[in-house]
Amino acid sequence: MVGRALAARLRVRPGALPGRRLVGIGAVAALTAGLLVAAGPAPEEAEALTAPLTMTAEDLPTWQTNGIVYALAEADGVVYVGGTFSTVRPPGADPGTQEQPVANFVALDAATGAPVEGCDLSFTVGSGTATIRSLAVSPDKGTLYVGGTFGSVNGVGASSVAAFDLPTCARAPFPVAANGIVRAIAAGEDRVYLGGDFTQLAGQPRSRFGAVTTAGAVVAGWRADADEIGKAVALTPDGEHVLLGGDFFEVNGANSHALAVVDAGTGANVRTYPEGFIETNSTVQSIATDGTSFYTGNEGTGGGVFDGRIALSLDTFDQRWRDTCLGATQSVTVHGGVLYSGHHAHDCASMGEFPNQERYHLFAQAVTGTAKLGWFPNTNDGLGEQLGPRVLIPVTDHPDDARDFLWVGGGFTTVNGVAQWGLTRFATGPDTGLPSTPETHAASPAADRVDVSWRASLDLDDSLLTYRVYRNGASTPVHTVEGSSLPWVRPQLTWSDPDVEAGETHSYRVTATDGAGNVSALSAPVSVTVASGTQAYANAVLADDPLLYWRFDETANNYASDASGNGTSGVHRGGPARGTSPAAVPGPGAAAVGYDGTDAYTYSDARLPGMQRFTMETWFRTTTTRGGKLMGLGNLTLQASANRDPNLYMLNNGQLTFGIINGGNRTLTTPGRYNDGQWHHIAVSVGSAGMRLYVDGAQVNSNPLFTSARSVSGYLRTGGDSLANWANRPTSDYFAGELDETALYPAQLSAARVRAHFDAASVPSDTVTQLAPVADTYVNGAAPSAVHGTHQQLAVRGAPAYESYLAFDLPSAPAGQVLKAASLRVRVGGDAAAGALDDFPVVPVEGAWSEAATTYATRPALGTTALGTLESPDALNGTYTVPLQRTAVQGALGGQFAVALVSEGTDSLWLGSRESAAANRPQLLLTFGAP
């Protein structure tokens, strides 16, 4: 499920739910009109999500605060909200607008997110800042307990803890007073357990934890004194034990750091967790329970911390599992067998998941283990300590709505990329968000074969998606398959079309469908002409079983397909140029990728295993004098890696260096320089023959002493990564130039095989001739006398009419060869209005025209039979290839060939012309080969 625009978030029906009244009868009611979600059961419930998830990732319209929410509690469909804030406002309202004054507390309807009337409590303090840190509701839903830092409620004295009757919110007798912050409350049938900074309750010594009766009397025989702050208190479901969490190192004089289990009747220690079970500089911030286990949310400070979650048995109090993700977990809660957590997780590499990168603030995982489920709504860090979410609670008993809800409070100021302060909520339905559009590629690697591959889509509450492949514009899919994905690993899926013949041209599109039946947009069409023979270079590479093989033939988007058969695709970052030509190895559809030397690079979607023996291989072309990294493994994907090994990079002067770590940095450098603007092949390896470095098929340096490298897993990165601490570090860590045909092998290739790869690049095969227009222009029906032949763009639209014309001088077929395929390649402009969703036929030009003089009034006659169709070219800066009727082009060989792009739609399309930069110019691609 993807983020939605603000307008979509506010498409709701006016009016309040039955049995609920809004705060204020006048002004506030008017403000909320049109902002409330209609009551009633959702059309799609949680079964539409990928099991065992219970909540969708779609945030619902919810009133906002102007500060941080620290505490939530719920009773009978009303959510009580506490924290440090002075106003609330409707969803979508900007800070300072439509605000209603409150004092650190508000009551909201769980199903609408709007204020309810009758619970107006004001928490204040004589000096400093009043804050509500904890809220709890009694088991019978009749009492609300509030803790924090405050000196009065509605002007009547209170000392950081108070109780209120529900649903009236009238002050209940509860005379206990705390001499410090009350950070945690757990309410039982006849006792209330408190945790915080206090050392006294009602003047009696109680260090950080205490028990009072429901009437507010301190329980004399209950002692669970700790040496440092208490932050979490929870009762076990059977009521026999109290679970304590916080910063402490001792409970009742015993060594127990951050976590302890005590007797509910006496406070005596039942289970302690000596320092080391939880790291010294980590604390327990939150505790949640279900029928069999309890779960901790942990926060650490400094290095070597524990920031994740622990599951422990309620029978033995022993650990069941531990999630060691880094990122200060603030809150945990359980709903339907799923543990939901709030944090700012940024590194789960220790769990075999994502490396250090941008933060995730909400997770879901089955209570049975650590693996993350496919639920990824997100907030920002927000206010204060910039921790994002602070508290989560489920709501399961709303009287007027059959859905369950998950409420989240904290200091965030955005949710799913849209402004929303302090509060948000999710529900068990409906799931209406679309999966992301698949990024697709098609290639013909061998005679009579087409492989269609795509990067798995992302849906924020469905990790298992169904993909459908459509061929040649048909409405019925030719292939259907399921595939799983998470934000940090979106595996490649591949399907081989069994119904193709040499010389045919086919186009393919793919959709992704989630469990609720939401269907993504169709992927941009990709076209391919079926090969009639073998591809010598690709065959040579595949014969040596590469771990991955990126051919870089894609012309748009951020997906680099893997031709190795292992599905280890790449992800472009920083916007490298796709579809650059000429490619290093000629062939139908061949292209390369161009890096800018600043921040563009490509990384493998999957973490690769460590290899002590390996071969890295690529082709490169550059004129840079700033050097840069060509390829290597790094431990990070979205930022510069801290650990880099091995490395292949260029020096400022054009020499190449290959390095590994083996008892220190070990490097080989070429004697020659290769920043000459020509394509070069490079291969580097480590194995029984030592370190070896080859350029253009010949060994140029070696070191037999080092026969293995460190076995360090990482992500393959091409085009750039940190080169700190490596010899002769160039001016730029990022490479300005082109790469092509990149491969990684889990073994050392012999010198003979490296030479065979290089030689295979020049084996005669089908060749592609790329032609630029000798003339092009467009005409505009709204300006019938205007000439546009010198413009750097071409324009096409049905009404008002634009038409574009292109002329090419065609060569004759090479001796002994015939034309096997022809296609027109165009590049959409980068202007926001450049792309179009319409289709644009390519038709022959039958009349005379010229670039210098043709206007709409003098436009040429056009043929009526389309030679091909440019389908929905909506990707800005995207390159699109249109297969053309071969026979029509073949008849024009040796002469001039002219085509027009036309439309019957109203969507404008802007394309690069021959006057634009080389990478943006139209091209006619002619494939010649043996008959």
Side-chain angles (χ1 to χ4, degrees), residues 374-744:
W375 188 75
F376 295 99
N378 208 2
T379 74
N380 65 351
D381 290 344
L383 307 171
E385 298 171 272
Q386 298 187 317
L387 296 174
R390 294 273 195 163
V391 58
L392 294 80
I393 62 161
V395 177
T396 59
D397 60 352
H398 196 285
D400 302 312
D401 197 309
R403 296 175 296 173
D404 290 351
F405 298 89
L406 178 67
W407 278 69
V408 181
F412 50 84
T413 58
T414 68
V415 179
N416 286 339
V418 176
Q420 174 70 25
W421 285 46
L423 286 166
T424 190
R425 61 200 174 94
F426 306 92
T428 49
D431 177 6
T432 59
L434 305 184
S436 64
T437 304
E439 296 182 28
T440 309
H441 179 63
S444 183
D448 303 324
R449 176 180 163 190
V450 167
D451 290 343
V452 182
S453 63
W454 62 95
R455 186 185 186 206
S457 295
L458 179 62
D459 189 291
L460 296 186
D461 51 21
D462 289 283
S463 57
L464 181 64
L465 302 175
T466 299
Y467 298 92
R468 293 177 173 85
V469 181
Y470 298 85
R471 185 173 64 180
N472 299 335
S475 59
T476 302
V478 293
H479 179 65
T480 301
V481 67
E482 289 186 337
S484 295
S485 62
L486 294 170
W488 55 86
V489 55
R490 295 168 59 182
Q492 173 177 298
L493 292 91
T494 301
W495 171 70
S496 295
D497 189 344
D499 188 20
V500 296
E501 295 182 6
E504 294 179 342
T505 298
H506 298 282
S507 68
Y508 301 88
R509 307 182 83 171
V510 181
T511 62
T513 305
D514 68 13
N518 300 303
V519 184
S520 75
L522 280 163
S523 65
V526 290
S527 300
V528 62
T529 299
V530 185
S532 57
T534 60
Q535 298 181 26
Y537 185 83
N539 288 346
V541 170
L542 294 172
D544 290 315
D545 297 321
L547 190 63
L548 64 76
Y549 179 23
W550 297 342
R551 307 205 68 184
F552 293 127
D553 292 339
E554 301 79 22
T555 58
N557 299 315
N558 294 312
Y559 162 58
S561 62
D562 176 23
S564 73
N566 296 316
T568 312
S569 56
V571 181
H572 297 303
R573 190 165 174 85
R578 272 79 79 192
T580 65
S581 59
V585 179
V593 62
Y595 298 106
D596 61 9
T598 302
D599 60 0
Y601 63 97
T602 306
Y603 65 88
S604 61
D605 194 61
R607 191 178 184 92
L608 301 172
M611 296 173 289
Q612 291 183 294
R613 300 182 176 188
F614 60 86
T615 302
M616 297 193 303
E617 172 185 46
T618 195
W619 289 76
F620 68 94
R621 182 173 69 165
T622 187
T623 58
T624 186
T625 58
R626 301 178 69 247
K629 185 168 183 174
L630 276 69
M631 64 185 301
L633 293 187
N635 68 319
L636 301 179
T637 58
L638 303 186
Q639 54 187 291
S641 297
N643 299 315
R644 295 93 42 199
D645 178 29
N647 288 298
L648 173 60
Y649 56 100
M650 179 172 280
L651 308 185
N652 290 343
N653 63 5
Q655 291 178 285
L656 300 165
T657 293
F658 165 51
I660 65 170
I661 297 177
N662 182 332
N665 289 7
R666 312 301 178 183
T667 60
L668 300 176
T669 299
T670 64
R673 304 178 182 185
Y674 300 95
N675 55 345
D676 55 9
Q678 303 299 312
W679 278 112
H680 295 283
H681 175 261
I682 184 167
V684 295
S685 67
V686 177
S688 59
M691 295 177 65
R692 293 197 169 189
L693 192 161
Y694 304 84
V695 178
D696 294 336
Q699 181 176 301
V700 297
N701 204 343
S702 64
N703 187 331
L705 297 179
F706 301 104
T707 59
S708 65
R710 296 189 305 167
S711 181
V712 180
S713 64
Y715 300 86
L716 183 69
R717 290 185 49 154
T718 62
D721 200 359
S722 172
L723 290 169
N725 303 318
W726 283 91
N728 300 312
R729 183 181 184 181
T731 301
S732 174
D733 289 345
Y734 289 81
F735 178 67
E738 295 168 280
L739 293 186
D740 202 5
E741 305 288 344
T742 298
L744 175 65

Side-chain angles (χ1 to χ4, degrees), residues 772-777 789 805-808 849-852 896 914-915:
V774 294
D776 61 15
T777 190
Y805 315 120
L806 304 96
F808 301 87
W849 64 282
S850 72
E851 184 179 89
Q896 192 169 87
R914 77 188 191 104
E915 285 79 14

